[in-house]
Amino acid sequence: MTHFVSHLEGAIDGTRLEFGRIYNLHAGKPIVVRYDLAAVRKVVTPTDIATRPPTLWRYRELLPLPLDVEPVTLGEGMTPLLKCDRLGGELGLPNLFVKDESQLPTGSFKSRGMTAAVSMAKWLGVKRVALPTAGNAGGGAAAYAARAGLECFVFMPQDTPVVSHFEPHLYGAKAFRVNGLINDCGKIVKDGTEPMGWFDLSTLKEPYRLEGKKTMGLELAEQFGWKLPDVILYPTGGGTGLIGMWKAFQELRELGWLKSDKMPRLISCQAEGCAPIVTAFDKGERFAELFPNAATAASGLRVPVAVADFLILDAIRASGGTAVAGAETAIAPWMKRASSREGISICPETAVCFDVLEKLIVNGDVKPSETVVVFNTGAATKYLEALPAELPLLEKERIDWDKIGA
Amino acid sequence: MTHFVSHLEGAIDGTRLEFGRIYNLHAGKPIVVRYDLAAVRKVVTPTDIATRPPTLWRYRELLPLPLDVEPVTLGEGMTPLLKCDRLGGELGLPNLFVKDESQLPTGSFKSRGMTAAVSMAKWLGVKRVALPTAGNAGGGAAAYAARAGLECFVFMPQDTPVVSHFEPHLYGAKAFRVNGLINDCGKIVKDGTEPMGWFDLSTLKEPYRLEGKKTMGLELAEQFGWKLPDVILYPTGGGTGLIGMWKAFQELRELGWLKSDKMPRLISCQAEGCAPIVTAFDKGERFAELFPNAATAASGLRVPVAVADFLILDAIRASGGTAVAGAETAIAPWMKRASSREGISICPETAVCFDVLEKLIVNGDVKPSETVVVFNTGAATKYLEALPAELPLLEKERIDWDKIGA
């Protein structure tokens, strides 16, 4: 056996689908990968994994690419789990951690999904991929497509941060701005499938980006010594990471690799200006409605409708967690505050998480004794627009030390 | 014993200096760290190191910070060594590798020096640091100073890329632009030592950034199975990385950890617009003159005078290597070519290395059978100005597939 996938499964109705073919959605909803975990348990242990190179491919048996196929990789994964004592001290949380995804290739968590999805697409014979992006996914896809030698088309809202324009261009993708939001871009990609002959790489519209994102949960478990934290705050746009982590935790539990079966509470964080999941959570709904007039400086959260809404909401509820919106006005201040306390390049989406965390501490929903992990999903430097920097100009002939020290 | 440092040494005259005090230069030249390698050999082996977490602090016994002191760390190090088959195929080099430093905190190799220097500064009681920067060092220093809770002052040429303005601001440093070059900024830092009471963190004007940079060489050795490649191309501004790697190789040789004592040829790559080391190398000099009217899009190479010029030139010559200038006009094309072939975020300084590599292959100075490593010292996204991206704007109501496919 060169892989441990048992089958694919339609997430909405449990329909079994055969592995090894090209799929997008089933019944208009996501497809997920299922493994023969009993077989995995027989061939690999956490001790084996500890000896492997520090990339997400160390969890090879829990990923869909056959073992004898070379992945399309840029060395991604095993991002640092950083204890934050200075910020934790201010917030009254002695066990606050940031999982820093800004250190991945292309500076964001999108690399995890892309290494898996592009590896699978290449293996399955795809030559051309396309996707919509709210910002970071475009750069990630373009980089991995370049590494694989695939053609790549990227569509983004016209006012996406400038670094998101730069990256696909750098990697030789064909990138376009669109007078609309990510769902409008998604429609172009869908409509182009036939005339352009590309594979739709949209998140959760193919089964494998989710598997790559799942490794955030696997790494967290390994880095905490195969225990899980009490609380995870995760910024939620398309929600793949949140769904992926929850899937990872269930697989680890079934494998028997966890020292305790206590699951973390998942806190889905959105911005006030685009909070469809928060709205649905509050109403007790399983499906979210399109969020009208979506607008936020946290561009990655500007996803007014998510194809996997029910999977996000199921995971939050199953974990005993919640969905909370952070204030738009808190974004720039929290980017600066968190970054300047800990030296971590905190992106706007994660700034939203810190605003939510502060609310939950005040509410008593997060206790000082709890171990809390906040995901930093990308580098702040990818969002220059969110925190304008205008540095004073000095004349070298006339240096005034008082002014410099002021 | 809590550390393995035997003493510090004035690089120009071998003067022994006591470890554990605050130093900048000795006789106007750099100070280097010497270790009791016989003692290191007794307590640690490459096999031990293989079991440690994937950060540069795995080489703890070869770093100056006492073992019982917590480093100021963001999880930096063990950057991927990526085989480049597509680009290697085009260049006729089947064994071409890129060591990708863009995946470090703050997106550049500067983090290596800063984790070491800021850890040491904090341990030695420093409260306030200052430095000049050509771009990336400022962000790196600001991040580690933030993590350590130190005050940080950054001075940069006024036309430094915008991301270099953003980063120190994000991390709460006091950052200034200056109407001059990095040596003018360096003078401000030097002059301010007295009135401002800060510690001068300029590269090679304190002993420890070099030790952090040295880990590029240690990682390379470990990742190649304790052998070294035939050729290393390294973009040279201040030259700390090149000197550091050469120091690392000598230490490893003395430790007996290398399977072969054959040393790589070091190729120092500079840009035509600022090539003081190349000029001195060609003239057979040990010291370099100030390069007049320095100007290049590879902003990290805009260092017209390097305090450690003689250490750079000594290392190049001892290795049997050379110093070569790349063409200014090759920078943008090579950024795009290398990035789009391999999905690696290639910075302008590394683009210069690829231009040099191509020349050396044509010359016959680099042979197809050789194992060649090119260092990618930072993320391309930190140099938006170097490769302008103007993406076409589509109207979602009027999609023309022919135009998209063109």
Side-chain angles (χ1 to χ4, degrees), chain B residues 2-5 34-37 39-41 43-45 48-49 52 56-65 67 211 214 218 251 255 257:
Chain B
T2 66
H3 65 79
F4 293 87
V5 177
R34 298 298 175 203
Y35 298 86
D36 180 352
L37 295 173
V40 171
R41 198 186 297 120
V43 299
V44 64
T45 67
D48 299 327
I49 285 172
R52 297 179 181 177
L56 61 80
W57 291 98
R58 69 201 272 125
Y59 307 108
R60 191 67 192 253
E61 292 82 358
L62 295 172
L63 291 169
L65 192 72
L67 303 184
E211 294 303 295
K214 182 179 83 176
L218 301 176
E251 289 173 359
L255 278 168
W257 289 6

Side-chain angles (χ1 to χ4, degrees), chain B residues 346-375:
Chain B
I346 299 291
C347 67
E349 294 82 2
T350 299
V352 167
C353 295
F354 279 110
D355 187 50
V356 170
L357 176 59
E358 205 170 26
K359 287 179 192 175
L360 295 177
I361 293 168
V362 171
N363 286 351
D365 289 338
V366 169
K367 306 270 182 302
S369 61
E370 293 190 299
T371 298
V372 176
V373 175
V374 178
F375 270 81

Side-chain angles (χ1 to χ4, degrees), chain A residues 54 73-75 80 82-84 86 103-105 143 146-147 149 153 155-156 158 162-163 165-167 169-172 174-180 184 188 191-192 195-196 198 335-336 339-345 380-381 383-384 387-397 399 401 404-406, chain B residues 54 73-75 80 82-84 86 103-105 143 146-147 149 153 155-156 158 162-163 165-167 169-172 174-180 184 188 191-192 195-196 198 335-336 339-345 380-381 383-384 387-397 399 401 404-406:
Chain A
T73 177
L74 292 164
L82 298 170
K83 186 118 191 291
C84 293
R86 300 185 71 223
Q103 296 184 40
L104 289 165
R147 184 95 170 138
F153 291 77
F155 300 88
M156 66 186 75
Q158 59 181 318
V162 291
V163 178
H165 305 187
F166 177 89
E167 282 191 307
H169 176 67
L170 174 74
Y171 296 120
K174 289 183 180 141
F176 303 90
R177 295 179 302 135
V178 175
N179 65 336
D184 300 305
I188 295 173
D191 292 348
M196 298 301 292
W198 59 43
M335 281 178 76
K336 181 142 193 183
S339 300
S340 63
R341 293 305 183 281
E342 296 293 348
I344 305 169
S345 188
T381 44
Y383 306 80
L384 300 176
L387 194 72
E390 191 63 56
L391 305 189
L393 181 62
L394 304 180
E395 286 178 68
K396 62 178 191 277
E397 301 82 5
I399 296 298
W401 300 116
I404 287 170
Chain B
T73 177
L74 292 164
L82 298 170
K83 186 119 191 290
C84 293
R86 299 185 71 223
Q103 296 184 40
L104 288 165
R147 183 94 171 140
F153 291 76
F155 300 88
M156 66 185 76
Q158 60 182 319
V162 291
V163 177
H165 305 188
F166 177 89
E167 283 190 306
H169 175 68
L170 174 74
Y171 296 120
K174 287 182 180 142
F176 302 90
R177 293 179 303 137
V178 175
N179 65 336
D184 300 305
I188 295 173
D191 292 347
M196 298 301 292
W198 58 43
M335 281 178 76
K336 180 141 191 182
S339 301
S340 64
R341 292 305 183 280
E342 296 294 348
I344 305 169
S345 187
T381 43
Y383 307 80
L384 300 176
L387 194 73
E390 191 62 57
L391 305 188
L393 181 61
L394 304 180
E395 286 178 68
K396 63 178 191 276
E397 301 81 5
I399 296 298
W401 300 116
I404 287 170

Side-chain angles (χ1 to χ4, degrees), chain A residues 56-336:
Chain A
L56 62 79
W57 292 98
R58 69 201 273 124
Y59 308 108
R60 193 67 193 252
E61 291 83 357
L62 295 172
L63 291 169
L65 192 71
L67 302 185
D68 52 355
V69 178
E70 276 290 310
V72 178
T73 177
L74 292 164
E76 57 291 316
M78 288 309 274
T79 57
L81 179 65
L82 298 170
K83 186 118 191 291
C84 293
D85 289 335
R86 300 185 71 223
L87 199 50
E90 291 181 11
L91 292 169
L93 284 182
N95 293 300
L96 173 65
F97 294 82
V98 166
K99 176 89 170 146
D100 187 15
E101 301 283 292
S102 77
Q103 296 184 40
L104 289 165
T106 76
S108 98
F109 69 145
K110 296 290 179 183
S111 291
R112 294 185 184 271
M114 293 306 169
T115 187
V118 172
S119 293
M120 287 298 291
K122 186 182 178 188
W123 176 58
L124 292 168
V126 167
K127 303 287 182 205
R128 175 182 262 195
V129 298
L131 77 164
T133 180
N136 289 323
Y144 286 89
R147 184 95 170 138
L150 306 184
E151 209 179 354
C152 181
F153 291 77
V154 176
F155 300 88
M156 66 186 75
Q158 59 181 318
D159 54 354
T160 303
V162 291
V163 178
S164 308
H165 305 187
F166 177 89
E167 282 191 307
H169 176 67
L170 174 74
Y171 296 120
K174 289 183 180 141
F176 303 90
R177 295 179 302 135
V178 175
N179 65 336
L181 294 179
I182 189 170
N183 47 319
D184 300 305
C185 298
K187 185 173 181 303
I188 295 173
V189 171
K190 189 184 170 204
D191 292 348
T193 308
E194 187 78 30
M196 298 301 292
W198 59 43
F199 178 68
D200 185 343
L201 205 64
S202 304
T203 193
L204 285 159
K205 290 190 184 170
E206 63 76 57
Y208 305 114
R209 284 174 64 175
L210 179 64
E211 293 304 295
K213 285 283 189 73
K214 181 179 83 176
T215 61
M216 289 191 287
L218 301 175
E219 289 183 14
L220 207 56
E222 183 174 0
Q223 288 171 320
F224 275 121
W226 303 101
K227 283 179 289 190
L228 297 172
D230 298 306
V231 179
I232 295 173
L233 287 101
Y234 191 82
T236 309
T240 319
L242 197 142
I243 300 166
M245 277 195 278
W246 191 246
K247 185 171 188 287
F249 299 155
Q250 306 318 309
E251 289 173 359
L252 291 176
R253 178 151 67 176
E254 195 175 328
L255 279 167
W257 288 7
L258 295 176
K259 289 183 182 158
S260 156
D261 279 355
K262 186 164 170 284
M263 291 285 125
R265 306 198 298 284
L266 299 180
I267 315 293
S268 169
C269 305
Q270 299 197 307
E272 273 175 351
C274 185
I277 298 299
V278 174
T279 307
F281 183 83
D282 287 344
K283 285 187 183 167
E285 305 280 359
R286 194 181 181 212
F287 298 92
E289 285 179 26
L290 186 140
F291 196 90
N293 307 315
T296 168
S299 45
L301 299 182
R302 205 168 48 153
V303 181
V305 58
V307 65
D309 49 1
F310 65 107
L311 294 176
I312 302 170
L313 288 155
D314 287 356
I316 297 167
R317 290 180 177 125
S319 79
T322 185
V324 183
E328 197 63 29
T329 51
I331 293 176
W334 259 116
M335 281 178 76
K336 181 142 193 183

